[in-house]
């Protein structure tokens, strides 16, 4: 099958692992993949398939500001991207268009390109604006004078996104909450979870001279109180048991970041992997949960989202999701005692391979073959 994948840029810091593993696996299975994206930063990962990067901005602030304002009024970003893309793809042919995004770009561009070729369109929705209460944009932009523009941007973004979702042949997304939300626009929605790369995230018992509770990933303001709570519980255990020797380790984009190639070993050497969630999030199944699952490292999810993530932790026996201080303390002590006995921790998981990237890619191709044969 010849697949045209259209997405936002697979550049640092996110690198879009969901899509890269789709492409790697499908290429190994003999499918022809062409990845079409916007030029942003250098693509510093190996790939055996062509990636076409289309420049949209000159790099100047004035150019960006003008085009952003024009996009708000006319959807310039999607329209211009589709026009330039069709010139780049003039001599090529495809069987299917797959568009993956966290926003409204490049959804309508993908619809234009699929319509030009007369091809079916699958839209893969990795995130939704509504998955965080009060909108993810308002969490990141708190300056009072920007709020009216953010509200306007959010309203326009959602309207354009929903317009494409209603006309797509099929939707895929990352959690049951996302699936239920998207069914109001299109009944043909399928959950394909994110997962872990079996070649990088695998179990291995590595003795360590130090017991660490490790957090890897971005750290937002609404997560910080729960991080402090875990710090307090570690201090409380130390006060009751002076011999207790544990350390909280943070790897965030602004503090001791790790290269992607070092993540597997960092997880395997940890005593506990900390995941910070919350009731204000919906269906956000962080990649670090899957990577800890792949390494069979115990997961402490604080607080419990009382939703999809907590359910997935129970289903896989990956650890504990809780908002209760006593449960947090008991889990840390349990894992610490295990580490004292053998110098490493290991969590016996269930249904682990169901959440591998390989299984994810097999699901996508089975869906494509079923719907578009």
């Amino acid at each position: 099958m010849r697949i045209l994948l259209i997405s936002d840029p697979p550049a640092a810091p996110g690198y879009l692992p969901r899509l890269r593993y789709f492409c790697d696996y499908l290429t190994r299975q003999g499918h022809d993949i062409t990845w079409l994206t916007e030029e942003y930063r250098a693509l510093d990962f190996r790939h055996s398939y062509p990636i076409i990067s289309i420049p949209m901005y000159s790099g100047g602030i004035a150019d960006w500001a003008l085009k952003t304002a024009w996009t708000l009024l006319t959807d310039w970003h999607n329209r211009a991207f589709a026009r330039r893309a069709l010139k780049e793809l003039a001599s090529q042919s495809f069987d299917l268009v797959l568009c993956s995004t966290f926003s409204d770009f490049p959804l309508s561009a993908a619809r234009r390109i699929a319509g030009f070729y007369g091809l079916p369109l699958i839209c893969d929705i990795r995130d939704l604006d509504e998955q965080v209460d009060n909108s993810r944009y308002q969490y990141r932009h708190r300056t009072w004078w920007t709020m009216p523009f953010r509200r306007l941007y959010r309203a326009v973004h959602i309207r354009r996104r929903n317009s494409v979702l209603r006309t797509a042949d099929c939707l895929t997304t990352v959690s049951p909450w996302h699936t239920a939300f998207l069914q109001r626009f299109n009944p043909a929605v399928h959950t394909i979870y994110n997962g872990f790369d079996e070649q990088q995230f695998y179990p291995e018992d590595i003795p360590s001279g130090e017991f660490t509770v490790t957090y890897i990933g971005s750290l937002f303001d609404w997560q910080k109180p729960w991080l402090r709570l875990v710090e307090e519980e570690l201090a409380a255990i130390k006060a009751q048991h002076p011999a207790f020797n544990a350390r909280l380790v943070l790897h965030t984009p602004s503090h001791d970041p790790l290269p992607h190639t070092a993540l597997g070993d960092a997880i395997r050497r940890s005593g506990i992997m900390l995941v910070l969630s919350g009731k204000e999030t919906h269906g956000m199944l962080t990649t670090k949960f899957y990577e800890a699952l792949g390494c069979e490292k115990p997961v402490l999810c604080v607080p419990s989202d009382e939703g999809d993530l907590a359910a997935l932790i129970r289903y896989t026996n990956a650890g504990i999701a809780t908002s209760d201080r006593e449960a947090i303390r008991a889990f840390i002590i349990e894992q610490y005692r295990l580490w004292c006995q053998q110098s490493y921790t290991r969590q016996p998981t269930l249904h682990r391979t169901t959440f591998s990237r390989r299984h994810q890619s097999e699901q996508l191709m089975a869906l494509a073959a079923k719907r578009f044969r």
Side-chain angles (χ1 to χ4, degrees), residues 15 28 39 55 58 98 144 146 149 184 199-200 207 260 313 319 354:
Y15 291 106
R28 289 196 299 268
E39 184 178 281
S58 68
L98 169 64
W144 66 269
T146 67
F149 300 101
R184 69 186 70 181
Q199 294 182 332
Q200 184 176 6
H260 184 73
I313 290 172
T354 303

Side-chain angles (χ1 to χ4, degrees), residues 219-243:
L219 185 61
F220 298 102
D221 287 345
W222 53 269
Q223 295 172 307
K224 292 178 180 177
W226 296 101
L227 180 65
R228 288 194 292 271
L229 184 147
V230 173
E231 290 178 309
E232 291 169 2
E233 290 307 306
L234 288 170
I237 298 171
K238 177 70 173 178
Q240 292 182 346
H241 308 279

Side-chain angles (χ1 to χ4, degrees), residues 7-11 13-21 35 37 100 126:
S7 80
D8 46 306
Y15 291 106
L16 305 191
R18 177 178 176 89
L19 303 190
R20 289 193 291 110
Y21 289 114
W35 192 335
T37 189
S100 183
R126 308 192 311 270

Side-chain angles (χ1 to χ4, degrees), residues 164-171 179 182-189:
V164 179
L165 298 184
R166 290 187 177 96
T167 60
D169 294 275
C170 177
L171 308 180
T179 296
L182 291 170
Q183 282 174 338
R184 69 186 70 181
F185 310 113
N186 191 323
V189 189

Side-chain angles (χ1 to χ4, degrees), residues 211-214 226-238 241 244-248 271-274 298-302 319-320 322 324-340 345:
F211 182 86
T212 59
V213 178
T214 304
W226 296 101
L227 180 65
R228 288 194 292 271
L229 184 147
V230 173
E231 290 178 309
E232 291 169 2
E233 290 307 306
L234 288 170
I237 298 171
K238 177 70 173 178
H241 308 279
F244 178 73
N245 182 24
R247 185 165 65 97
L248 180 63
I272 291 173
M273 284 300 296
L274 177 63
V299 171
L300 173 59
C301 175
V302 179
I320 184 173
T322 183
D324 181 73
R325 283 180 175 267
E326 291 186 6
I328 294 169
R329 190 178 305 185
F331 184 77
I332 293 172
I333 292 173
E334 175 190 2
Q335 297 301 326
Y336 181 78
R337 287 174 175 168
L338 179 63
W339 173 81
C340 287
T345 59

